[in-house]
Structure formats: C-alpha cells, structure tokens
Amino acid sequence: MLKEYNFKEIESEWRVWWEQNGSNHTDINSFKPKYYCLDMFPYPSGSGLHVGHLRGYTLSDVWARYKKMQGHNILHPMGWDAFGLPAENDAIKKGVHPSKVTKDNIAVFKKQLRSLSTCYDWSREISTCEPDYYRWTQWIFLQMFKQGLAYQKEMPVNWCPSCKTGLANEEVVNRECERCGTKVERKQLKQWMLKITQYAERLLNDLSKLDWPERVKEMQASWIGKSIGAEIIFTSQSQITGETITIPVFTTRADTLFGATYVVIAPEHPLVKELTKPESKSYVMEYIASSIQKSDFERTVGDKEKTGVFTGNYAVNPVTNKQIPIWVADYVLIEYGTGAIMAVPGHDSRDFEFAQKFNLEIIEVISPDGYPSSETHLSLESPCSPLTSPQTLPPLSSPQTLPPLSSPQIPSPLTRGDKGGLQSAYEGDGILINSDEFNGLTVEDGKKAITKHLEIKKLAKFDIRYKLRDWVFSRQRYWGEPIPVVHCQKCGIVPLNETDLPLLLPDVKKYEPTGTGESPLAGIPDFVNTFCPKCNEPAKRETNTMPQWAGSCWYFLRYIDTKINTLPFSPKVNEWLPVDMYVGGIEHAVLHLLYSRFFVKFLYDIGALTFDEPFNRLFTIGMVHRNGAKMSKSKGNVVSPDELLEKYGVDTVRIYELFIGPPEQDSEWDDNGIEGVSRFLKKVWRIAYENLNESFVPTPLMDKRRHQIIERVTSRIEDFRFNTIVSALMEYTNFLSEQKEVDKNSIETLTLLLAPLAPHIGEELWQKVLKKKNSVFDQKWQSFDKDKIIEQEVTIAIQINGKLRGTLTLPLDSTENEVMEQAMKEANIEKYIINKEIKKKIYVKNKILSLSI
Ligand code: ANZ
Ligand code: ZN
C-alpha cells in the first residue's frame, strides 16, 4: 500500500522526536573521539537569512551528521556575532535601540536555522553582546594591555563619514567603507591599537600547519606581506643645523643601488622639514597638506598619476657617492619600511613613471643577458613643462658611457627598445651592469654582495619588513564592548580590576554616532566620570568601544562551556580544540580568520591555551548568485527559504542547497531546479514503500551497485563534492526504481546514505519502513567491499533471427532482463524489435542474447 510522501507530517514528527530525545545535545565528557564542526556565526542583520546564506549551514550540518555516523562525538554549536556596526546601523535605520533590534533579529535567524533542521546544540547558544560573554572579551583585552600589546596612538585613521567611525585597514575595500560603501576619509584620532605585528612571522609560518584552501592561505600571506631586503643609509645635510643626517631606506633590491638616482620620502616623514631647502619650503608644505588627506589606496594604486615635489636638497648614494635629489612624494607610505625609498627608475615601474614625469635620471643596472639595451642610458635633457613641476630641477648628471663588453652579442629584440634605452622599467631577473665591481653578478648575488659591502661601513644591514599593520582596535560607536580602562590625571591609563568586569555598556537613549570623533558614550556623564582603580581620585573612563571583530576572535573557545563564569573558557577547551572543521565565507580570509589566529596565539603565549591555531581545517563556501548577481537584498534578487520550505519541505530544500553546484564555487540559483530534487525524494519514498520485498534476494548487479554507491558517496563526502553526492544518489535511486523488487539491504543503504542530507526522510524510512529502533544518526556509516565495486564488463552479442545486429557492453553477470532493457535503449537494435512480438529468447550469460521474432 502506497503511503503518500507527506513531508509536512513526517518533518514535524521527527523534529519533535529529536528534540525529545535530546539527539543534538553534546556530552562534552563522552568517551567517543571528539569532532568539532563549526560554522562562522552570523551577525544577525535585519533582513534575515536567504537561501544563499543557508548553503553553508546546510553543508556543515551534513558534514556534522556524517561525522556522527562515523562514530564521533560531535560538537556543532551556533551563536551570534551581535555587537558592531551592522546591528547598530540597522537600529538607527529603524529607530529602535540596538539591544532590542539585535534580540529581534536573533529570534528571526534562530527560527530560520531551526526550520532547516540543523543539528545545532542550542543549549550552547552564545551572543557576543551579553555581559556574561563580553566580560571575557574585556578580560582578554586587559591581558593584552598588561602584556603591552594594547596601546594608544595618535594616528591618521580611515574614517567613514557615514558610519562616523574609524575603520581598520581590513575594513576598507577599494577605499570604501566595507559596511556601507561610503568613500573613506583620513582623520587624525587617538586610537587603541593591538600589536598584531608582533605575531607577523608566526602568523605567516604557521599557515603551513593548516589544512585550509590555498587561496585563503595566500591571501593571508600577502596580507602579512613579508619582504626580505635591506636597510640602506643615504646621507644628507640638515637644512636647519647643517649637520649630516642619515636617511635609511628599505629596499628589496639592493642589487639596483647603482641605479638609484633619487631618494623619495613620504609626506609624513619626520625629516621632511629638516631636509627641505628654505626656498622650497612653501610648496613642499602645500604638497604635504594635500597628500595626507588621501588614503593609502589613492596614493599607491598604479593608475593614479604620480605627484611629488623636490626638496631642493640632495643625498649621497653610498656606492656611487653621487649627489642625488631628495623628493617628497605620496606614492611612498610612511607606515611601510622606513617611510623613505631609494628610487630606481630603471627597474621599478613606479619610479620609472615618476622619473619620466619629472625628468629624472634613469640608469639601467640589470639586464637579462648582461648587455645593456643601448650604448647610452636614457636621460631626458629637455626641460620639463612648468605645469608639472613648478620647482627647480636638480642638475642631471652627464650621460655615462657603458663599459665595453667582453664578448659582443646581438641584443635580443624582445628585451630591447628600438631607439635604445629602456622603454619601461625592467623588473625581471638578470645580471648586474653599470655597477662597477659588482658587474656580472646575478640579481640574487648582487643583493647579498652590495648589502655586505655596505654593512662593513655600517651603511646597510639585511632587513625584513611586513605589510601587516597593527590593528586599530577602537571605534567611536555605541554598540560594542566598552574598553575597560580609565584615564587618570595622576596615573595615566589604568586598567580596571578584573573583578570589576564586565564593564557594562550603559543603557542609553541616544546611541547615534556623534561624528566628532568621540563615541556616544562620551556624552554620558554617569558613565564617563569614575574613580581611578589605582589612586581612587576622580578619573574618566575610556569611551571608545571595541570593533565588530573583537567578540568573534575567541567565541569558538566559549562553546565548550557557555555558562562558566570563573574563567573565559572551560579547561576542556584544550581537548576540544582546534576546531576540526570550520565552514564559512571567503570574505573572512584576512579579517576574522587572521584576528582569531592572533588571539589564539596570544592566549597560548600567556598559558591560557595549549594549542596555538584555532582552526585545523577550513572550508570556504561559494556564494549563491541569481540572475547573474550575487544574491543580496540590495540587488533585489533574494530568494527567501520560507516559501520553499512551505512548498517543498526541509529535506528537498537542503538537498537543493547542495545540488546547485560545487560548494566551494559561486553557483547560480535556478528557481526551477528544486522540482527535480522534489521528484527524487518522492521516488525514494515510493521505492521504499512499494518495491521493498524483505525476502527478495538481490541480483549480483544490485549488490554491486549497492557497494558502488557506498564507495561513491563516501569518497565524495570526504572531498566535499556534495553536489555530486546528490547526483550519485539520484542515479542509484533510478536504478532501484527500475527493479521490480528491491531487497532490504538496498533500502537500508539508500536510507543511511541519504540521511545526513535529508534527515527527516532518512529517519522515517529507518524507523517506519525498516522498522529499526534507535535514530538513523546513531547508526554506523556503511562500508563497502572493495572487490565488489570493480566494474567488470563483458561484451554481449545481440542476435536477431540469426543475424548479428549489435553488441552491448554490460556489467559482468547481467541478467536477461538487464540485457534486454539495455538492448531496447540502443536505436540500432531497437528498430528490429520495436512493435514486434518476440517469439523466443535464448540468453547465454555473459555471451549472447538471441531473439526470434
Ligand atoms: C629600490 C627598488 C628597486 C625597489 C627596484 C624595487 C624595485 P615590497 O616587495 O612590497 O616589500 N618601498 C619601500 N618602502 C616603501 C614605502 N614606504 N612606500 C612605497 N614603496 C616603498 O616592496 C619593497 C620595495 O618597495 C622597496 O624596494 C622599495 O622600492 C619600495 F628595482 O627599492 B625598492
Ligand atoms: Zn589614578
């Protein structure tokens, strides 16, 4: 008797059953091997989750269930990244207090995730804006402060005029605020900083320990940006005291020192005033004022025209002893290296562009084959236009004749300009030329030799620099963790006593940003005015709050025991972490994923943890697109899961989420595709209820197919090829549906393999059709027999009325029916039999099928 596939009925039935059985509860102390499967917790925005967001949550849920069936004790928790700009902006838009908005949004998110029947252990839910939680975020900050890793600094920050707050470099994308898209400005502010740079080398090196997508590791490595090079000293004269002053520059190309024809210092360089000739002062100062307004991005991006001014002063090139002009230009950044460079226009395209614009000397010192590109180097002697350089030009040194070459060769036309001279900077590898005693060395040897040569004279040293900057850790906003320090006139910055944590975020009416560079907390006298924990005199509280990322840097440590209130995390954290599988978006490659690693390394260093990497394995889930654009509310192409769940049920939606494409890639949401998945589950249902015959003995082919599907699904799950698992199961289901009767083993296998993807139908078939006790998720994952999956094939001749009409390649031991069925699918054979009565069939197994018609 066919019972209809009524997903509503079975889905609500099993959901209640799982809840009553505590199926998703994790016993931290179980003896089974642990497995920590974690999703990046969401920030609960106002618009709820769309089907694009649900893709990752579905995937991690399938993975968690699969690992459970493999015998692991699964920790699969969920929580909320509740502090920070998104919630606050949403609150301001709605005119509702952020705490209320956050609570409401969390309720919506939670309902949505539950409706997907994700197997989260909700008893471990956390929210970063709860005092019980942020108390420990503040505690970690205090530990960093005590270790000298949190400090204050006056600095130009990226300022979002719309969010009215400073942003970290990582939060600025294409010089726009990552959150709201407004163009970022520069503003001088006193900021709290975290010394993440102290961990640069370890953050870089330890990437090799991680089973992460190469792409993410590369993104982190280039964000950390290690450069091996040298610091080289150029000397000049102070225009104030007349004394010799040194200008250290950082270079990765010490080999090109003979080609350094000018020096550039950043506009913010502390020596600017001292180096500038009095008569150049006015325009130099004017230039500086205009350039410090620009963001680093505007200053350094390639397609922007280079600007700069000549200081009127010269420096000495330490190897040539030539006087070379000192310029101020904003393509040199104060925060990198030493804030000053030796410019080598022959071999650096930025310098080349600059030198061409301002008529500066270009000397070729590296050549691919050891031969110069022309007899004379390029030296523009025409005076440059008054439009581009209002300042006096440095005298150009006279063109040098190149040393004669020992064995003349014909220059390769590929690397040489037709008119002679460099047509552009040559940045490739090669041999040193025009470099006196160093001629003939390779680039690599040249770097070493020149640096060593100057090292003896104390004019150079080998040096390593990182692009990574310290983390701007304060925001001038309301909705964040208050920074737990006070400012005392007598004692300076004083941390709160740990026992006084949490420092509660005061409940206020006015939480809009002030735009003055001060947090709204500064306007609350009750909060601001306090007493110094050290001397008890009146003091003022810090009013900046922590950034969005603070709470998410360590939340994964808290899940082990979310109630503990004597420590930030349970000591069992060392048994349960690192996280075994972390699933989330690639957009977190350099923000959250780097900050979390930093926090964990710090906690390791102070002895709070025994491991120093938070996430062993990372899976980055691709975005869902629709109508050619990334699914997002602003694009108006969002599909809400609610309707689909109502129409098709949870199991179908879950499977479709996985079916749309390879999970690590962006995939297009096809509104019609879900129908096919729905038909698939109905077919599974029908086979189980209609075709199952418990006493039926499966054919060898059925047995083989059963082993094959176990192998296929298992290996594809292991490789995270979830979309192809679905297609394999569909294929298998089609195969079973072609059999008149299906044995119990086949249905059991299908049920067990399908259950992690479609938990309700899995549980239903397991308990109702196969009449098992216990949950399907308490079963062991199926194993297969290696010998049985080998596809042995034979060629079978098809004879009709004594004539050979074709051959078929089929699995060994195919039955007569299977051969017949296949024969009917071959047009060449079918045409002889269609609409004819078959009078006689003789089948010789694995050899021939002979038909008489
Ligand atoms: C001379 C030179 C010759 C350079 C040459 C490059 C090529 P990475 O690899 O990114 O570390 N540089 C140093 N400090 C800078 C600053 N504060 N702002 C802008 N540019 C700076 O790049 C190192 C190179 O970037 C350095 O090596 C320096 O230019 C420049 F054929 O020195 B180089
Ligand atoms: Zn004090």
Side-chain angles (χ1 to χ4, degrees):
M1 181 214 55
L2 178 63
K3 190 172 140 200
E4 191 152 350
Y5 173 45
N6 183 340
F7 62 80
K8 277 200 181 131
E9 209 177 285
I10 68 162
E11 287 177 0
S12 58
E13 183 187 339
W14 291 116
R15 204 172 302 167
V16 171
W17 191 82
W18 289 324
E19 208 124 301
Q20 284 171 350
N21 277 269
S23 302
N24 300 332
H25 184 77
T26 309
D27 173 10
I28 286 294
N29 301 310
S30 145
F31 291 110
K32 288 188 196 165
K34 68 100 182 178
Y35 196 93
Y36 191 172
C37 176
L38 182 67
D39 288 288
M40 289 184 187
F41 67 167
Y43 58 82
S45 72
S47 34
L49 294 162
H50 58 60
V51 294
H53 301 125
L54 295 184
R55 193 181 187 199
Y57 301 120
T58 307
L59 181 141
S60 69
D61 193 69
V62 173
W63 183 256
R65 289 173 188 274
Y66 164 67
K67 281 287 161 190
K68 186 170 185 192
M69 292 172 84
Q70 281 196 324
H72 291 279
N73 185 22
I74 298 297
L75 177 61
H76 189 42
M78 185 39 82
W80 316 106
D81 188 11
F83 262 144
L85 276 182
E88 188 173 322
N89 286 345
D90 198 29
I92 291 165
K93 206 169 70 204
K94 292 178 178 156
V96 182
H97 195 278
S99 66
K100 168 91 172 71
V101 166
T102 304
K103 231 177 230 139
D104 294 349
N105 291 349
I106 286 176
V108 172
F109 270 55
K110 188 168 175 183
K111 188 167 162 272
Q112 285 186 305
L113 287 177
R114 290 192 98 134
S115 72
L116 208 62
S117 288
T118 43
C119 61
Y120 298 121
D121 180 352
W122 286 108
S123 71
R124 297 176 189 278
E125 181 178 355
I126 52 177
S127 174
T128 55
C129 68
E130 295 297 332
D132 278 355
Y133 180 87
Y134 71 69
R135 162 186 186 178
W136 298 109
T137 312
Q138 291 172 331
W139 180 87
I140 295 172
F141 178 89
L142 286 187
Q143 309 313 308
M144 289 205 173
F145 180 80
K146 285 174 193 164
Q147 302 293 323
L149 285 171
Y151 65 98
Q152 270 200 309
K153 186 183 168 194
E154 173 96 25
M155 62 177 302
V157 295
N158 303 305
W159 177 261
C160 172
S162 164
C163 294
K164 295 184 178 152
T165 188
L167 302 171
N169 285 339
E170 291 87 332
E171 291 168 313
V172 181
V173 178
N174 294 343
R175 77 199 148 130
E176 286 169 359
C177 169
E178 183 208 39
R179 289 285 165 221
C180 71
T182 307
K183 194 166 168 264
V184 166
E185 298 169 357
R186 305 283 279 180
K187 193 169 176 136
Q188 199 74 18
L189 281 181
K190 198 165 206 180
Q191 293 289 322
W192 279 96
M193 310 286 290
L194 294 187
K195 232 182 242 173
I196 190 172
T197 51
Q198 192 166 311
Y199 285 77
E201 188 65 28
R202 281 163 70 191
L203 288 168
L204 183 67
N205 278 339
D206 290 351
L207 283 173
S208 65
K209 292 204 255 183
L210 304 176
D211 182 6
W212 285 20
E214 281 311 312
R215 197 167 133 217
V216 177
K217 291 205 228 179
E218 279 160 21
M219 283 164 86
Q220 288 213 351
S222 73
W223 189 262
I224 295 166
K226 181 178 184 175
S227 288
I228 299 171
E231 197 178 293
I232 295 178
I233 307 277
F234 284 67
T235 48
S236 182
Q237 239 175 11
S238 167
Q239 298 303 301
I240 298 169
T241 64
E243 283 167 28
T244 300
I245 47 177
T246 57
I247 312 169
V249 306
F250 175 69
T251 179
T252 48
R253 295 296 305 274
D255 56 302
T256 63
L257 186 51
F258 283 80
T261 54
Y262 59 98
V263 163
V264 187
I265 60 177
E268 303 88 345
H269 199 285
L271 291 178
V272 168
K273 280 209 179 94
E274 213 167 342
L275 287 171
T276 302
K277 276 244 149 72
E279 57 270 30
S280 311
K281 208 150 215 158
S282 64
Y283 58 78
V284 169
M285 291 308 146
E286 203 176 294
Y287 176 76
I288 290 170
S290 79
S291 63
I292 56 178
Q293 276 308 311
K294 298 189 208 165
S295 70
D296 288 0
F297 181 84
E298 274 173 285
R299 289 168 50 162
T300 51
V301 139
D303 55 0
K304 288 276 173 315
E305 192 170 334
K306 301 265 175 302
T307 62
V309 283
F310 177 44
T311 59
N313 195 1
Y314 294 82
V316 177
N317 180 323
V319 283
T320 62
N321 287 322
K322 270 202 281 186
Q323 297 266 333
I324 58 175
I326 304 172
W327 285 66
V328 178
D330 64 13
Y331 75 96
V332 173
L333 303 175
I334 187 64
E335 280 148 48
Y336 188 57
T338 61
I341 65 157
M342 62 182 227
V344 184
H347 303 284
D348 180 298
S349 52
R350 297 162 299 181
D351 299 342
F352 186 86
E353 201 190 313
F354 192 85
Q356 284 216 307
K357 179 166 171 183
F358 295 112
N359 261 334
L360 297 161
E361 193 181 14
I362 299 171
I363 304 177
E364 187 183 18
V365 291
I366 305 292
S367 128
D369 53 10
Y371 293 89
S373 50
S374 75
E375 280 305 293
T376 55
H377 64 267
L378 189 68
S379 169
L380 304 174
E381 278 169 298
S382 58
C384 62
S385 91
L387 276 178
T388 53
S389 69
Q391 58 282 349
T392 35
L393 281 168
L396 297 168
S397 59
S398 57
Q400 289 176 320
T401 319
L402 296 174
L405 297 162
S406 47
S407 60
Q409 275 178 17
I410 300 173
S412 140
L414 285 175
T415 54
R416 300 298 147 86
D418 291 335
K419 293 183 264 53
L422 288 166
Q423 303 299 297
S424 62
Y426 174 70
E427 297 184 328
D429 207 354
I431 308 282
L432 272 64
I433 57 171
N434 295 330
S435 302
D436 291 356
E437 64 200 270
F438 303 100
N439 282 342
L441 292 179
T442 62
V443 163
E444 275 322 303
D445 291 343
K447 285 179 189 177
K448 283 185 207 131
I450 291 181
T451 308
K452 274 202 180 127
H453 166 76
L454 288 175
E455 203 174 28
I456 299 159
K457 304 185 195 167
K458 297 222 155 39
L459 287 175
K461 59 173 195 245
F462 291 96
D463 195 12
I464 291 171
R465 298 283 175 157
Y466 300 88
K467 293 267 153 47
L468 187 68
R469 300 272 72 91
D470 277 345
W471 178 9
V472 182
F473 199 68
S474 43
R475 298 292 181 274
Q476 299 69 47
R477 297 291 293 241
Y478 169 68
W479 193 236
E481 301 86 348
I483 292 177
V485 302
V486 303
H487 299 271
C488 169
Q489 287 231 304
K490 214 167 93 196
C491 317
I493 298 173
V494 183
L496 295 195
N497 292 319
E498 284 173 22
T499 47
D500 290 334
L501 299 181
L503 168 59
L504 292 175
L505 182 64
D507 190 11
V508 294
K509 298 248 145 46
K510 263 192 76 211
Y511 45 80
E512 282 84 0
T514 60
T516 59
E518 276 199 297
S519 140
L521 295 181
I524 307 166
D526 276 358
F527 177 79
V528 175
N529 296 315
T530 183
F531 296 93
C532 170
K534 217 173 184 176
C535 70
N536 258 324
E537 295 292 311
K540 298 219 179 295
R541 281 197 199 285
E542 169 66 47
T543 57
N544 281 338
T545 53
M546 296 185 201
Q548 165 87 43
W549 315 100
S552 61
C553 282
W554 71 279
Y555 76 106
F556 40 87
L557 305 172
R558 181 80 181 165
Y559 281 131
I560 314 303
D561 182 350
T562 55
K563 312 276 177 337
I564 193 166
N565 58 18
T566 49
L567 290 168
F569 32 77
S570 156
K572 289 217 174 256
V573 76
N574 294 316
E575 287 166 35
W576 273 90
L577 273 93
V579 169
D580 296 281
M581 174 61 77
Y582 197 28
V583 178
I586 186 104
E587 69 275 16
H588 293 295
V590 286
L591 299 160
H592 163 62
L593 286 171
L594 192 63
Y595 296 153
S596 300
R597 295 182 60 219
F598 163 48
F599 265 48
V600 164
K601 286 189 185 306
F602 168 73
L603 291 168
Y604 169 83
D605 286 353
I606 62 168
L609 300 173
T610 61
F611 55 92
D612 68 351
E613 280 291 340
F615 317 118
N616 268 349
R617 189 166 170 194
L618 172 73
F619 186 83
T620 48
I621 187 97
M623 305 253 203
V624 173
H625 292 227
R626 185 159 166 265
N627 306 332
K630 183 191 144 194
M631 199 177 276
S632 81
K633 208 181 166 204
S634 61
K635 299 250 163 53
N637 61 352
V638 160
V639 175
S640 153
D642 304 348
E643 243 169 78
L644 295 175
L645 290 169
E646 176 67 24
K647 187 166 171 202
Y648 297 101
V650 182
D651 285 343
T652 299
V653 171
R654 285 171 59 107
I655 293 184
Y656 190 55
E657 290 279 355
L658 301 173
F659 194 44
I660 57 172
E664 71 284 0
Q665 288 172 23
D666 291 356
S667 301
E668 179 76 15
W669 184 271
D670 169 6
D671 292 325
N672 302 318
I674 196 166
E675 284 289 344
V677 174
S678 172
R679 277 197 300 275
F680 158 57
L681 286 187
K682 283 181 191 152
K683 195 178 270 183
V684 169
W685 184 268
R686 218 166 34 235
I687 294 167
Y689 274 97
E690 273 194 338
N691 299 22
L692 173 64
N693 176 352
E694 301 209 0
S695 53
F696 177 72
V697 181
T699 62
L701 183 69
M702 286 174 80
D703 196 43
K704 180 194 295 290
R705 290 281 183 262
R706 192 175 75 79
H707 283 274
Q708 282 174 334
I709 189 70
I710 299 170
E711 188 277 333
R712 220 170 269 180
V713 171
T714 309
S715 68
R716 291 178 189 186
I717 283 199
E718 286 296 333
D719 294 342
F720 268 67
R721 290 161 57 210
F722 289 89
N723 56 323
T724 65
I725 295 169
V726 178
S727 44
L729 286 170
M730 285 175 165
E731 220 172 89
Y732 183 59
T733 303
N734 286 339
F735 169 77
L736 290 181
S737 77
E738 285 160 10
Q739 318 301 317
K740 282 209 181 60
E741 290 178 306
V742 178
D743 63 302
K744 209 172 163 187
N745 272 348
S746 298
I747 299 294
E748 226 177 276
T749 294
L750 178 63
T751 303
L752 289 167
L753 298 180
L754 185 63
L757 293 89
H760 308 85
I761 198 168
E763 196 75 273
E764 170 83 10
L765 300 186
W766 188 252
Q767 298 200 32
K768 297 266 175 76
V769 175
L770 296 164
K771 311 215 167 48
K772 310 274 188 181
K773 301 249 155 47
N774 302 330
S775 166
V776 68
F777 299 106
D778 292 332
Q779 307 312 310
K780 253 191 88 192
W781 189 252
Q782 296 237 298
S783 54
F784 57 89
D785 184 341
K786 271 209 185 88
D787 296 333
K788 290 209 173 153
I789 63 168
I790 302 163
E791 190 70 85
Q792 262 183 305
E793 289 182 325
V794 286
T795 306
I796 295 171
I798 310 293
Q799 223 174 41
I800 299 171
N801 291 342
K803 284 207 178 91
L804 181 69
R805 293 299 185 189
T807 58
L808 293 174
T809 307
L810 286 173
L812 187 73
D813 296 340
S814 295
T815 61
E816 182 181 301
N817 276 344
E818 283 160 359
V819 178
M820 199 53 212
E821 211 172 89
Q822 202 54 42
M824 293 300 286
K825 286 184 190 160
E826 298 287 320
N828 275 341
I829 303 169
E830 187 207 9
K831 65 182 180 201
Y832 296 102
I833 355 178
I834 194 147
N835 298 330
K836 303 237 166 85
E837 191 199 337
I838 296 170
K839 292 187 187 124
K840 201 169 149 199
K841 268 192 236 168
I842 301 167
Y843 176 54
V844 184
K845 206 170 175 183
N846 297 329
K847 290 213 170 75
I848 187 166
L849 177 68
S850 175
L851 306 174
S852 306
I853 49 176

